Amino acid sequence: MSLHITTPLLSSRPLSLLAGREVLLKMEALQPPGSFKIRGIGLACETYQRQGAQRFVSSSGGNAGLAVAWAGRHLGVAVTVVVPETTSLRAQELLRQEQAEVIVYGSSWQEANQYARSLLGARDAFLHPFDDPLLWQGHASMIDEVAQSGIKPDAVVLSVGGGGLLAGVVAGLQRNGWRDVPVLAVETTGAASFHAAQAAGHSVELAEINSIASSLGAKRVCDQALRCASEHPIESLLVSDLAAVSACERFLDDHRVLVEPACGASLALVYEAHPQIAAYQKLLVIVCGGATSSVEQLQKTAAALRG
Ligand SMILES: *Cc1c(COP(=O)(O)O)cnc(C)c1O
């Protein structure tokens, strides 16, 4: 038995009517720990346990850390998550609910990550949030499920942070013989590390992240994301923070599911009628999720962005 669930594939009536084309939703927000991350991290945790790991260590205060904590609790493996002081109390509380040991260290993710790695002993496994082939293999299962449903989309819309979701979806498309299905890879303008890498032809490190979509805030994408771009049709697209947040609000009304701005970025392509979707009749949007989001936070962020 795997640690993730088979998620619903919905044909969205409101989004299809709005876009004038069929919009399918892969509802990864319904995964028990709140995002698609459990697919890849679940597979990685099972693999590392089989190889003898007695503790999982993560430095993510977001969906990756939550997936590790959830996996550890279900596999009976201790979990330590080191997060920087900037991590919200709500995120820390969610990690503790999953029985993870939470260590608050440093003022930036870099410091927390360095400390987490310094803790690693011989029987510990470090779980990277996006740069691990096991993650991509695990994430690919969401495309296997779409293929098994007998529905073939014209294009897949997804959000890009460090590129693990992108690498997983491309792996899934390829292993199902769907090399002709392009990926629309969406980022917010202040977290456009994949966009910058594609423009440069090699991975580049952004000087800073300036976006409220915190799960997209990797300054550099993994090399695999660029390898994917060289072997698969991928279009890199950008949306504003406000478009991403507005999409979250509208999606909550349309489908009664709360997602975070990182996920709203993908939904914004449809809600904002981005010209790039005009070429496709059947769009599959990966509704990637967001466990730490709350209605109050969404409203506050929206109010701040609207001034
Ligand atoms: C992790 C995450 C992303 C970005 O995934 P990457 O693998 O880092 O590209 C997007 N949305 C949500 C909700 C996430 O948890």
Side-chain angles (χ1 to χ4, degrees), residues 33-184:
S35 79
F36 73 92
K37 289 262 180 7
I38 188 59
R39 290 185 186 266
I41 284 180
L43 178 66
C45 286
E46 286 172 325
T47 305
Y48 296 141
Q49 183 186 34
R50 228 177 297 125
Q51 293 169 353
Q54 291 182 351
R55 181 172 67 151
F56 301 143
V57 177
S58 164
S59 56
S60 158
N63 297 310
L66 275 162
V68 175
W70 198 89
R73 184 166 64 80
H74 284 265
L75 295 171
V77 174
V79 173
T80 298
V81 184
V82 184
V83 297
E85 288 146 10
T86 49
T87 305
S88 72
L89 290 177
R90 178 178 163 80
Q92 294 179 34
E93 178 54 31
L94 289 171
L95 286 165
R96 289 195 187 95
Q97 270 180 24
E98 296 295 349
Q99 292 164 12
E101 175 193 23
V102 179
I103 299 175
V104 181
Y105 184 94
S107 56
S108 69
W109 175 79
Q110 278 78 6
E111 284 174 43
N113 185 53
Q114 231 171 33
Y115 183 64
R117 287 180 182 268
S118 78
L119 297 177
L120 291 176
R123 313 225 70 179
D124 293 333
F126 182 77
L127 277 296
H128 196 279
F130 55 81
D131 197 1
D132 180 340
L134 287 169
L135 260 62
W136 313 328
Q137 194 190 322
H139 296 340
S141 62
M142 74 181 78
I143 300 300
D144 298 340
E145 289 170 17
V146 177
Q148 280 154 20
S149 77
I151 296 168
K152 184 180 179 184
D154 291 342
V156 182
V157 179
L158 55 76
S159 301
V160 180
L165 175 58
L166 173 70
V169 165
V170 168
L173 292 171
Q174 295 188 343
R175 78 188 186 193
N176 285 284
W178 286 354
R179 287 177 183 270
D180 57 333
V181 177
V183 173
L184 308 185

Side-chain angles (χ1 to χ4, degrees), residues 149-268:
S149 77
I151 296 168
K152 184 180 179 184
D154 291 342
V156 182
V157 179
L158 55 76
S159 301
V160 180
L165 175 58
L166 173 70
V169 165
V170 168
L173 292 171
Q174 295 188 343
R175 78 188 186 193
N176 285 284
W178 286 354
R179 287 177 183 270
D180 57 333
V181 177
V183 173
L184 308 185
V186 189
E187 295 169 293
T188 50
T189 44
S193 46
F194 179 66
H195 194 79
Q198 263 217 326
H202 54 83
S203 88
V204 288
E205 179 150 331
L206 298 181
E208 58 164 17
I209 296 291
N210 185 11
S211 173
I212 48 99
S214 51
S215 292
L216 305 186
K219 285 186 180 169
R220 181 195 287 273
V221 292
C222 60
D223 290 339
Q224 182 68 11
L226 281 161
R227 245 172 263 135
C228 289
S230 70
E231 11 173 283
H232 197 91
I234 300 178
E235 289 180 52
S236 165
L237 304 172
L238 303 179
V239 299
S240 69
D241 274 2
L242 182 56
V245 167
S246 303
C248 293
E249 293 177 312
R250 294 179 69 179
F251 190 70
L252 181 56
D253 283 340
D254 284 340
H255 282 279
R256 290 89 52 206
V257 172
L258 179 64
V259 296
E260 64 176 60
C263 180
S266 281
L267 293 165

